Amino acid sequence: MKNKTESQKIIIDAIRTFTEQRIKPHVMEWDEAQYFPVELFKELGEMGCMGILVPEELGGSGLSYFEYVDIIDEISQIDPSIGLSVAAHNSLCTNHILTFGNDEQKKKWIPKLASGEVIGAWGLTEHNTGSDAGRMSTTAVKDGEDWIINGAKNFITHAISGDIAVVMTRTGELGKSGNATAFVLEKGMKGFTSGKKENKLGMRASETAELIFDNVRVPDSHRLGEIGDGFRQALSILDGGRISIAALSLGIAKGAYKAALKYAKEREQFGQPIANFQAINFKLAEMITKIHASELLIQDACQMKEDKVKMTKEGAMAKYYASEACVEIATDAVQIFGGYGYSKDFPVEKFFRDSKLCTIGEGTTEIQKLVIGREILK
């Protein structure tokens, strides 16, 4: 495994201190109340965690995907909900404008996103189109120099508290290729609202809701890239986004494993720590092996991303393996804790609930297998 650089170690230490002081004391309180701590993200912005991959000249941290993974991983070991929100803000909304926006658009929106002054959302999924995003019903129709957007997006991170949203719309015929175009929408535009917050199994401190568009008039200057290029852009953004979910999965896996290892060393049965029993010891051995394998797959995808090499297959492999592994590891952690694992007084119960999203969000496990399968047959 690649050794951490000095700068990576400094970043990890800073994030670890921040999460211990500012996140850990509130984890269950935020979870129970489904409270999205907007003020925390302003602080994360001051630390440079809201524009991790953004160049310094645009107000970002100018870091690599390796540091990005470290930050998501560290935050998610304490609270995966916060890790998810940091990932969605960075890799989806901010990265979409950074990758496909023109200079004027980047200067207008990126510095505010990178500083945490504004929070970003990204809208692709709809009520009837999850994996089948090519058949989306949200439309943008040209009207003079503007576009009129109608429809709704579902399961959108930061739909209520977000200030800026990158939204994929259909500008062509249903089911045809090249029928989608991306736009940047700002809260306050007439007809642009959000729906009710989803009451979720896990990731409860990360806000998820609908985005609703009722005859929203959007200037053509808010269009990202060419007309009809939206779906290609979205797929490119999701390639990098898979690294985010893999890093989130890694953090959950590490958090659950560390809690289980500590407990197994302390909990005694039949006059000795339960870690000494082969049934428990083998579980811990499997957990750490899966964590190590996840890290290697993620590092491989990161290196390719940094080298600007196509990494569709490698990103999907990292996301597929790490997300499934984190569910298995969180499940085993609950089992090691026994009855206490089922209690909200111990951390593994929350890791267990939070882990499941990783196999669903930003492309299900089944979609990852489809992507990998297509790539290897090319």
Side-chain angles (χ1 to χ4, degrees), residues 298-317:
I298 293 165
Q299 286 191 1
D300 185 38
C302 283
Q303 190 61 62
M304 293 180 78
K305 190 75 179 159
E306 284 298 306
D307 292 342
K308 296 183 168 48
V309 176
K310 185 174 188 281
M311 40 66 73
T312 301
K313 174 166 84 3
E314 289 74 15
M317 284 162 61

Side-chain angles (χ1 to χ4, degrees), residues 36 50 84-97 109 113 118-125 153-168 182-187 192-194 206-213 224 237 362:
F36 178 63
M50 299 298 270
L84 172 63
S85 276
V86 172
H89 172 93
N90 274 280
S91 81
L92 297 179
C93 179
T94 307
N95 199 39
H96 197 136
I97 299 171
W109 291 304
L113 286 161
V118 300
I119 290 173
W122 193 78
L124 177 64
T125 302
K153 297 290 178 181
N154 200 25
F155 297 132
I156 306 304
T157 306
H158 311 146
I160 298 167
S161 300
D163 308 276
I164 291 171
V166 174
V167 177
M168 264 48 68
F183 292 90
V184 178
L185 274 68
E186 295 174 320
K187 276 293 166 73
F192 179 33
T193 55
S194 35
S206 179
E207 178 187 277
T208 308
E210 279 181 307
L211 288 175
I212 300 163
F213 320 103
L224 292 169
I237 293 303
E362 293 196 36

